[in-house]
Amino acid sequence: MKNSEIAARLRELGDLYELDGAVSYRVLAYKQAAKAILDSPVSVTQMAEQGRLEELPGVGKTIAEKVSALLAEGEIPAARKLKERIPATLVDMLRIPGLGAKTVRAIHDQLGIEDLAQLQAAAEQQEIRGLKGLGAKAEENILKGLAGLEARGADEERILLSHVLPLAERLAADIGAHPACDRLEIAGSARRMVETCKDIDLIASSDQPADLVTAFVGHELVDEARSKGEAGASVLTHHGTKVDLRVVAPDQFGNLLQHFTGSQAHNVQLREAAVKQGLSVSEYGVAETESGESLRCRTEAEVYERLGYRYIEPELREGRGELEAARTDALPELIVDKDIRGDLHCHTTLSDGRSTLREMASAAKRMGYGYLAVTDHSASHGFGDHVTADQLRKRIDEVRNLNDELKRFTLLVGSEVNIGTDGSLDYPDELLAELDWVVASLHTSFRMGDAKLTARMIMAAEHPYVDCLGHPTGRLIGRREPYGIDIERVCAAAAETGTMIEINANPNRRDLSEHHARLANEAGVRIVINTDAHGVDTLAENMRYGIATARRAWLTKADVANTLPWSRFAKLRKRAG
DNA sequence: GCCGTTTTCGGCCCGACTGTTTTCAGTCG
């Protein structure tokens, strides 16, 4: 069973317990365990088989037993029992904004309503207002919420970071340049460079907040203001993206930015630890519980310092051990954009790229890189984009000639070779030996079973001319789940054979994920960050998302091979040793 | 239900908003 499915079942159980009136902390425990399972880089099913479930943060004896039961029987006995008393369809109602467990339970118990259709009918017939604490407004919100659910479908609307960031950066630049603006930063999940975002948070400081809010609401990207006040506003852009602006006085900017950057898990852990020191943290300051005296901070660094921590980079603020590391001076010095010296996975018009060899080479050189490996698809690639062995031989000459023209830049000839269903590659070894660099990737037969996929990847890693594994789990964020390969075994094989593994920086992929990249690094695998660019535009644009994934995986410059100049990188390739 | 530089029991962030209420419960981020 996939981690995402186990997590969904635990979330459902948490919802059922909540509807059953369980104490909130018990409900929270299930949600946190579900999150930990979703974030687990390795198969939780496999962890269960090995009796390792309790290694997951937030999973104790009880939840471990429930996961084991789920895997053995296909369902959790506790959930089955709850469903005898509480219709499972009530869980759907919790997705209506403003409706929580208490309200849903009251509607069910007192009106006998069991699903969304009955809820709609009751709201239309004004039956809801008969309940204590609910009125006409509640009915209105329920109908609005139901319409919203229908409109956006079953999936929670999360937007790819690469769609959110340009919008956020444009707004930040424009609002930040307003005369009334003192400081302005993007906050929230976009600042943490999470793969997908729900909305955009902007934090500003100003002595004339009203002017700033007016400028924000009137911006040309803004469609409508949903609410607007002295301290900020919430708007929808023409894209339909929600953007919140919060404005404070300059001396509280650090507190507000820290609060709204999150994540929730990070803030909860930060605040729990603060309480034990007799301090209380909020978006307005760090207060001493005893005296009530509050410290206002202009910068986030002051907030962390007051609590006994070194400054923590936003990408690390996920409640994954960063507070402990910040307290003991054990934070990694994260890789930064300018550390990257070359790119080792891109395409040209020879296969499915949009730019020519020369255009890609010039663009890479302009960007300040020292080298670029051109890796078009291989002989068995479909869609008319395949490259025959003869075409590749011609390409080798073409690259050598162009390379002679380029000063202080190394153009490398490579290939992104398909890993066949039997683990073999689709060029002869003699040809692969002539290349500077080979990325091996899966492009076909994803559904042949996890064990076979794992075997294919391991065979590729063991091949003497495979320098690197490309987009190893094949996921497309929000569209296609990763293959269920045994990432621990693939990493072990890669570390053993000296095969590198890429973080594919395409913002739709980010593959390795941050969780897998952290695991791979700890397993001793050498990581490369590649754009998989299909044109000069994405050659420049994609890299930041790969860097972001690396940073969220706690990687330093030393952990990533293409921070080295080509002369040193070249010696790290398997074929060089 | 989880977890331990004050705890194996008794804690488990902080504040705003909404809609319904005359002081608050429920929900949300």
Side-chain angles (χ1 to χ4, degrees), chain A residues 386-398:
Chain A
H386 64 282
V387 177
T388 64
D390 279 344
Q391 285 176 307
L392 183 57
R393 289 192 188 94
K394 268 187 215 141
R395 170 49 68 92
I396 294 173
D397 294 336
E398 206 181 342

Side-chain angles (χ1 to χ4, degrees), chain A residues 107-168:
Chain A
I107 290 173
H108 171 255
D109 289 354
Q110 293 172 48
L111 297 175
I113 286 166
E114 299 206 335
D115 59 30
L116 293 177
Q118 292 173 12
L119 181 68
Q120 170 128 13
E124 281 166 354
Q125 288 155 30
Q126 309 193 338
E127 291 168 6
I128 306 286
R129 64 183 65 182
L131 303 183
K132 188 168 184 294
L134 297 174
K137 198 77 186 178
E139 286 166 349
E140 205 178 297
N141 285 338
I142 286 170
L143 291 174
K144 210 190 283 179
L146 282 166
L149 278 190
E150 197 145 321
R152 65 170 188 272
D155 292 327
E156 275 300 295
E157 188 94 359
R158 289 193 70 92
I159 316 162
L160 211 56
L161 182 63
S162 54
H163 296 163
V164 165
L165 264 192
L167 193 64

Side-chain angles (χ1 to χ4, degrees), chain A residues 456-470:
Chain A
R456 282 165 83 186
M457 292 295 277
I458 291 174
M459 269 189 74
E462 287 170 346
H463 194 288
Y465 295 119
V466 169
D467 299 294
C468 180
L469 299 176

Side-chain angles (χ1 to χ4, degrees), chain A residues 90-103:
Chain A
L90 286 192
V91 172
D92 300 337
M93 292 190 205
L94 296 175
R95 286 167 43 226
I96 296 171
L99 275 198
K102 299 254 167 69
T103 312

Side-chain angles (χ1 to χ4, degrees), chain A residues 207-522:
Chain A
D207 295 324
Q208 300 133 324
D211 291 355
L212 202 59
V213 170
T214 302
F216 171 60
V217 171
H219 192 279
E220 65 171 347
L221 295 179
V222 171
D223 181 23
E224 56 164 326
R226 307 200 328 167
S227 70
K228 175 174 179 260
E230 265 287 292
S234 177
V235 304
L236 283 178
T237 67
H238 296 292
H239 291 102
T241 307
K242 181 167 162 280
V243 188
D244 291 325
L245 172 71
R246 286 281 302 255
V247 190
V248 274
D251 67 348
Q252 287 175 311
F253 184 79
N255 303 104
L256 195 70
L257 182 59
Q258 194 285 322
H259 173 80
F260 276 99
T261 297
S263 65
Q264 193 184 2
H266 175 83
N267 281 355
V268 167
Q269 289 178 15
L270 182 84
R271 289 165 180 199
E272 281 178 358
V275 168
K276 288 173 185 157
Q277 302 177 61
L279 297 169
S280 170
V281 181
S282 81
E283 59 261 57
Y284 302 110
V286 181
E288 285 183 26
T289 313
E290 200 135 310
S291 65
E293 206 170 306
S294 184
L295 176 74
R296 295 177 164 209
C297 303
R298 301 184 75 90
T299 67
E300 289 183 310
E302 292 171 60
V303 177
Y304 286 108
E305 192 188 344
R306 176 68 184 93
L307 298 168
Y309 301 110
R310 278 190 49 194
Y311 175 76
I312 300 171
E313 299 284 356
E315 293 94 330
L316 295 183
R317 300 183 200 169
E318 296 291 345
R320 297 176 189 155
E322 70 278 6
L323 287 167
E324 170 69 10
R327 205 168 52 75
T328 56
D329 212 10
L331 285 170
E333 193 170 324
L334 299 180
I335 183 173
V336 297
D337 291 358
K338 68 172 176 51
D339 290 334
I340 296 294
R341 307 285 287 269
D343 193 335
L344 294 136
H345 183 168
C346 71
H347 299 264
T348 71
T349 48
L350 183 63
S351 63
D352 58 351
R354 297 180 306 274
S355 304
T356 64
L357 178 66
R358 185 178 289 272
E359 287 166 344
M360 293 298 275
S362 313
K365 194 178 172 193
R366 263 200 316 279
M367 286 163 56
Y369 286 165
Y371 51 100
L372 176 73
V374 175
T375 55
D376 277 296
H377 289 292
S378 58
S380 66
H381 199 76
F383 313 107
D385 296 322
H386 64 282
V387 177
T388 64
D390 279 344
Q391 285 176 307
L392 183 57
R393 289 192 188 94
K394 268 187 215 141
R395 170 49 68 92
I396 294 173
D397 294 336
E398 206 181 342
V399 168
R400 301 294 178 227
N401 290 336
L402 181 52
N403 197 39
D404 290 341
E405 281 181 36
L406 296 162
K407 302 280 177 264
R408 284 185 299 164
F409 185 84
T410 308
L411 187 61
L412 302 160
V413 61
S415 178
E416 182 184 14
V417 179
N418 278 355
I419 304 171
T421 51
D422 59 356
S424 65
L425 307 181
D426 58 350
Y427 286 130
D429 283 0
E430 315 83 83
L431 181 54
L432 293 174
E434 284 182 53
L435 301 172
D436 299 310
W437 174 254
V438 169
V439 178
S441 307
L442 293 172
H443 286 114
T444 57
S445 308
F446 305 145
R447 281 186 278 272
M448 67 192 305
D450 298 346
K452 285 183 183 165
L453 284 174
T454 303
R456 282 165 83 186
M457 292 295 277
I458 291 174
M459 269 189 74
E462 287 170 346
H463 194 288
Y465 295 119
V466 169
D467 299 294
C468 180
L469 299 176
H471 47 69
T473 75
R475 70 166 179 167
L476 294 173
I477 296 170
R479 287 187 284 149
R480 185 169 77 202
E481 288 278 309
Y483 333 127
I485 58 167
D486 185 333
I487 197 80
E488 279 182 305
R489 286 186 55 213
V490 171
C491 285
E496 170 80 27
T497 56
T499 311
M500 303 188 198
I501 299 185
E502 78 173 5
I503 292 176
N504 188 298
N506 179 326
N508 293 283
R509 293 186 179 271
R510 295 177 70 171
D511 180 12
L512 300 170
S513 71
E514 62 207 49
H515 307 292
H516 287 154
R518 196 171 175 180
L519 180 147
N521 185 48
E522 283 166 5

